[in-house]
Amino acid sequence: MPVPWFLLSLALGRNPVVLSLERVVGPQDTARCSPGLSCHLWDGDVLCLPGSLTSAPGPVLVPTRLQTELVLRCHEETDCDLCVRVAVHLAVHGYWGDPDKEEKFRRAADPELEEPRNVSLQAHVVLSFQAYPTAHCVLLEVQVPAALVQPGQSVGSVVFDCFEAALGAEVQIWSYTQPRYQKELNLTQQLPDCRGLEVQDNIQSCWALPWLNVSADGEDVRLVLDVSEEQRFGLSLYWNQAQGPIKPWWHSNLTGPQTITLNHTDLVPCLCIQVWPLEPDSVRTSICPFKEDPRAHRNLWRAARLQLLPPRGWRLDAPCPLPAEATLCWQALDGGPCLPLVPPLPRENVTVNVSTWEKIQLQDCLWADSLGPLKDDMLLVETRGPQDNGSLCALEPSGCTPLLSRASTRAARLGEQLLQDVQSGQCLQLWDNDLGALWACPMDKYIHQRWVLVWLACLLLAAVLFLLLLLKMNHVKAAARSRAALLLYSADDASFERLVGALASALCQLPLRVAVDLWSRRDLSAQGALAWFHAQRRQTLQEGGVVVLLFSPGAVALCHEWLQDATSAPRAHGPHDAFAASLSCVLPDFLQGRAPGRYVGAYFDKLLPADAVPALFRSVPVFSLPSQLPDFLGTLQGPAAPRPRRLAERAEQVSRALQPALDSCFRPPGTGRGMGPEAGDRT
């Protein structure tokens, strides 16, 4: 079964236990001493003036400790008042002018020693008693015989009966000597009220007092006032303050009996309850039952408010006294805990209504009110040495980075610029004292510079990509446009012409723009073989193309005819024999060295031996087909030729396209019209 929270607070709290007090009869004040001492109470009050400190001329008596005890001063059996008995403990302080004379001083207490001296001590001890709104002082004369005088040793005590005080009052007691040789002793004591004493039948002011009980009512608190019917009384709930007047929270005049319920969220440690009968000069009873209640302390922290005051102040508001320490910290832009300054600025101790019951931190940011919206500023801590030599470091999650360091952080990279910003007044000073300062430097311009660099890098990358795209498009366009090739051959027979047609068709798939007289017979008949060749040759060479000389036995024979002696004129050829007509232009190019780069030679290896090609035409590349198809195709395509692997694949495609025509061209004898090295011999 859980223990009610209020019972726990009673067990752990500081509520006074019920006391049974000694009775002192008679109205007169008295004084008594411990054995060996003599004392006398001076009649009447004395002035409560401690005076200034005075140097002791030798051994003197001084008070060392105060003790109090509560008693009842009774005028009659049932007419008593609460009274405070005070005991002052005394000791010998000081020597005869020089500690070296202590031995002589001690010999005075021994009759067997030489030069005995009468060194008994006398002191006037003042007791000052203050209980708002009155003050009362008494003077006690104490004498100590020489036998008890030992420097630094206690000699006994004197007891005063007694100072009258009101129930529940707070009293302050001071003790010192006249003249005063040391700082006065003081003691503060909270006197119990009627609830903590067996005085209901002895102190008349307690007879009509409303009795208050506090108990738990679930989460809430129930105040039960045990008051007779029709009795009127006052009830006040207030916040007890360590300094200054109490802060009333709720007050009402009621008629008993009453039961009042308090919400648990209203509980705080300094919440006190005061009750009194509505009669002139009545005694008020106060209790503060929530001092040790955990919920009350949680409520106190929830109610506390921290507020920053410009330019460098703060205020902490809370219902109860709460000692706290205020220090500067910093928080990153993305949130997270508030980190202490490294190196730290000097801390300021503040006591503004706060407690240390729980380690709960309250924080408030300077940006909240004084500096506008949250910014990505860099916080700089300036530390100053004894000779005005200061240093600056930037607060980052990894620590405080010196501005002129080689660390790979943002602050280190911008260290020189931030230092110039501080010196030029572009940073805002948040804090300043003799040992250091705190600066906030805006980072907007550096962020803008960084974005400018990013944009420049993006633009440069876009330009490079655009250039590559243009090159790719030009390459694609050039590949799509393809290279021109003019194919010249000798029409030895129909099977060879079919072979030439298959080669021209295969070359068009590379792609190449192939011109061959087989596909231009109408233009050839209209323009004539020589004019058609000249027009095709000029167009092909102007477009950066190439002229392909396809050698066969008939073509080799025609070349020999053109290369023989001038006395022997070449024989006539057909109107469609472009090869024969072209030799009149082709041979001068070879003879004058203009052929390389413009012409390419080729022959079919089963049709013509390699050494059959005239030596004049070997000044340009001459390829054997189909064995040298990859090299042949690469030369035809020029700069637009694909990679070797792709080129080999295209050569394989061309070889497969030529194979049927090659098979028909080289059938064995008797199987049909074929062609061999002798078939085209026209010599």
Side-chain angles (χ1 to χ4, degrees):
M1 178 177 178
V3 180
W5 67 268
F6 181 64
L7 295 181
L8 284 177
S9 71
L10 284 178
L12 302 175
R14 300 175 181 175
N15 296 319
V17 296
V18 176
L19 300 176
S20 178
L21 302 182
E22 177 186 343
R23 292 171 175 262
V24 176
V25 180
Q28 296 297 324
D29 296 336
T30 61
R32 64 179 185 274
C33 303
S34 56
L37 305 183
S38 61
C39 55
H40 170 68
L41 173 64
W42 284 38
D43 294 335
D45 289 344
V46 298
L47 293 177
C48 301
L49 297 176
S52 58
L53 286 174
T54 303
S55 298
V60 293
L61 286 179
V62 293
T64 59
R65 186 163 59 95
L66 290 176
Q67 277 185 300
T68 62
E69 180 184 359
L70 296 181
V71 296
L72 289 178
R73 170 170 282 173
C74 298
H75 310 284
E76 295 180 4
E77 181 67 23
T78 59
D79 184 11
C80 301
D81 293 313
L82 189 64
C83 207
V84 179
R85 174 183 291 165
V86 181
V88 184
H89 295 262
L90 301 172
V92 178
H93 173 73
Y95 303 94
W96 285 112
D98 191 331
D100 295 336
K101 299 180 180 180
E102 179 182 354
E103 185 64 25
K104 293 181 179 180
F105 178 73
R106 289 176 180 173
R107 276 186 279 174
D110 192 341
E112 297 182 359
L113 295 177
E114 297 180 358
E115 301 178 4
R117 297 179 60 181
N118 184 11
V119 290
S120 63
L121 299 181
Q122 180 177 312
H124 290 160
V125 180
V126 177
L127 285 177
S128 175
F129 183 87
Q130 293 188 10
Y132 181 82
T134 62
H136 179 45
C137 290
V138 296
L139 179 62
L140 302 172
E141 183 178 308
V142 183
Q143 188 168 355
V144 181
L148 297 180
V149 176
Q150 296 291 332
Q153 298 296 320
S154 175
V155 296
S157 62
V158 57
V159 179
F160 170 75
D161 277 334
C162 59
F163 293 111
E164 293 185 10
L167 291 166
E170 181 181 82
V171 299
Q172 292 180 318
I173 305 171
W174 285 270
S175 178
Y176 50 90
T177 60
Q178 287 184 344
R180 187 162 63 94
Y181 301 116
Q182 66 179 18
K183 185 178 179 181
E184 63 269 16
L185 298 179
N186 67 82
L187 182 148
T188 301
Q189 183 174 358
Q190 181 70 45
L191 302 184
D193 55 22
C194 295
R195 292 172 52 86
L197 300 170
E198 287 186 350
V199 295
Q200 293 90 337
D201 298 331
N202 302 113
I203 300 179
Q204 296 180 4
S205 60
C206 293
W207 293 356
L209 186 69
W211 294 99
L212 175 67
N213 293 312
V214 182
S215 60
D217 183 13
E219 288 292 324
D220 299 326
V221 176
R222 182 186 298 126
L223 307 180
V224 180
L225 292 103
D226 185 9
V227 182
S228 61
E229 293 186 6
E230 305 303 327
Q231 181 181 350
R232 299 181 69 249
F233 63 93
L235 175 65
S236 176
L237 302 178
Y238 64 94
W239 292 321
N240 191 27
Q241 304 296 304
Q243 298 177 354
I246 63 175
K247 295 169 61 177
W249 179 48
W250 183 83
H251 169 81
S252 181
N253 293 331
L254 304 172
T255 301
Q258 290 284 343
T259 299
I260 299 173
T261 301
L262 297 179
N263 194 307
H264 69 92
T265 58
D266 296 329
L267 305 181
V268 290
C270 64
L271 179 62
C272 299
I273 307 164
Q274 188 177 76
V275 292
W276 66 96
L278 294 178
E279 298 175 358
D281 300 326
S282 60
V283 176
R284 298 193 177 198
T285 299
S286 298
I287 60 172
C288 302
F290 311 112
K291 292 180 179 179
E292 307 296 336
D293 187 280
R295 295 182 305 175
H297 285 271
R298 285 195 294 268
N299 293 338
L300 175 60
W301 280 106
R302 293 191 186 103
R305 294 294 180 266
L306 177 64
Q307 181 182 2
L308 291 169
L309 303 175
R312 290 185 296 272
W314 56 82
R315 183 176 67 204
L316 185 60
D317 294 325
C320 301
L322 203 59
E325 185 180 70
T327 184
L328 290 176
C329 62
W330 72 283
Q331 189 176 37
L333 184 63
D334 55 356
C338 199
L339 304 175
L341 295 180
V342 182
L345 293 181
R347 293 187 176 185
E348 301 290 344
N349 290 326
V350 181
T351 302
V352 193
N353 295 334
V354 191
S355 169
T356 55
W357 178 272
E358 296 180 9
K359 293 184 178 179
I360 300 177
Q361 294 181 346
L362 300 175
Q363 68 182 49
D364 194 10
C365 289
L366 290 170
W367 310 108
D369 299 318
S370 57
L371 301 180
L374 194 64
K375 303 174 183 177
D376 186 18
D377 287 2
M378 181 70 70
L379 286 178
L380 304 183
V381 177
E382 178 184 1
T383 54
R384 298 165 183 161
Q387 300 178 352
D388 292 336
N389 52 345
S391 62
L392 281 169
C393 64
L395 288 173
E396 297 183 294
S398 59
C400 204
T401 305
L403 291 189
L404 301 180
S405 68
R406 297 184 178 179
S408 58
T409 63
R410 181 174 67 163
R413 291 192 297 269
L414 301 174
E416 294 184 0
Q417 294 92 320
L418 291 172
L419 187 59
Q420 293 175 1
D421 290 346
V422 173
Q423 295 171 350
S424 61
Q426 299 183 39
C427 298
L428 178 64
Q429 190 178 67
L430 304 178
W431 199 265
D432 185 27
N433 58 26
D434 295 337
L435 299 180
L438 184 63
W439 302 84
C441 296
M443 301 295 291
D444 296 345
K445 59 182 178 181
Y446 301 114
I447 295 175
H448 294 160
Q449 290 177 1
R450 183 176 63 185
W451 281 111
V452 167
L453 294 177
V454 172
W455 278 110
L456 288 177
C458 292
L459 290 176
L460 181 60
L461 179 61
V464 171
L465 293 176
F466 183 69
L467 180 60
L468 293 176
L469 182 61
L470 287 179
L471 294 176
K472 183 68 175 178
M473 291 177 63
N474 290 337
H475 178 74
V476 172
K477 187 182 294 183
R481 188 165 176 260
S482 69
R483 195 181 187 191
L486 176 60
L487 191 58
L488 298 179
Y489 69 99
S490 174
D492 293 358
D493 55 25
S495 59
F496 186 72
E497 283 190 326
R498 287 195 296 273
L499 180 59
V500 172
L503 177 62
S505 299
L507 294 178
C508 288
Q509 304 299 322
L510 290 181
L512 283 171
R513 290 184 294 110
V514 179
V516 63
D517 61 357
L518 284 174
W519 299 339
S520 305
R521 289 295 171 85
R522 180 177 298 176
D523 295 337
L524 199 64
S525 299
Q527 299 177 16
L530 187 59
W532 180 86
F533 167 73
H534 277 293
Q536 295 296 324
R537 174 180 172 274
R538 181 173 62 252
Q539 181 179 354
T540 299
L541 296 180
Q542 286 178 351
E543 295 177 357
V546 64
V547 178
V548 180
L549 300 178
L550 191 57
F551 292 99
S552 64
V556 171
L558 288 173
C559 291
H560 284 306
E561 288 182 8
W562 278 93
L563 293 174
Q564 67 183 358
D565 295 339
T567 57
S568 178
R571 58 186 175 85
H573 302 281
H576 304 302
D577 197 346
F579 185 82
S582 66
L583 288 177
S584 61
C585 295
V586 171
L587 288 176
D589 287 341
F590 279 90
L591 292 173
Q592 297 174 12
R594 297 193 302 267
R598 296 182 174 186
Y599 293 85
V600 171
Y603 64 92
F604 292 100
D605 46 15
K606 291 184 180 181
L607 182 62
L608 190 70
D611 56 358
V613 177
L616 177 64
F617 298 99
R618 295 188 180 276
S619 60
V620 300
V622 179
F623 301 97
S624 174
L625 304 180
S627 60
Q628 295 181 338
L629 260 176
D631 296 334
F632 175 63
L633 298 181
T635 302
L636 290 185
Q637 291 183 279
R643 295 180 180 180
R645 183 174 179 182
R646 178 63 176 162
L647 196 61
E649 294 176 355
R650 291 184 175 180
E652 182 65 25
Q653 294 174 1
V654 173
S655 178
R656 287 197 299 268
L658 291 177
Q659 195 60 45
L662 285 172
D663 291 343
S664 64
C665 228
F666 301 111
R667 287 196 184 101
T671 60
R673 184 176 179 182
M675 186 175 181
E678 300 83 6
D681 191 1
R682 301 184 183 183
T683 57

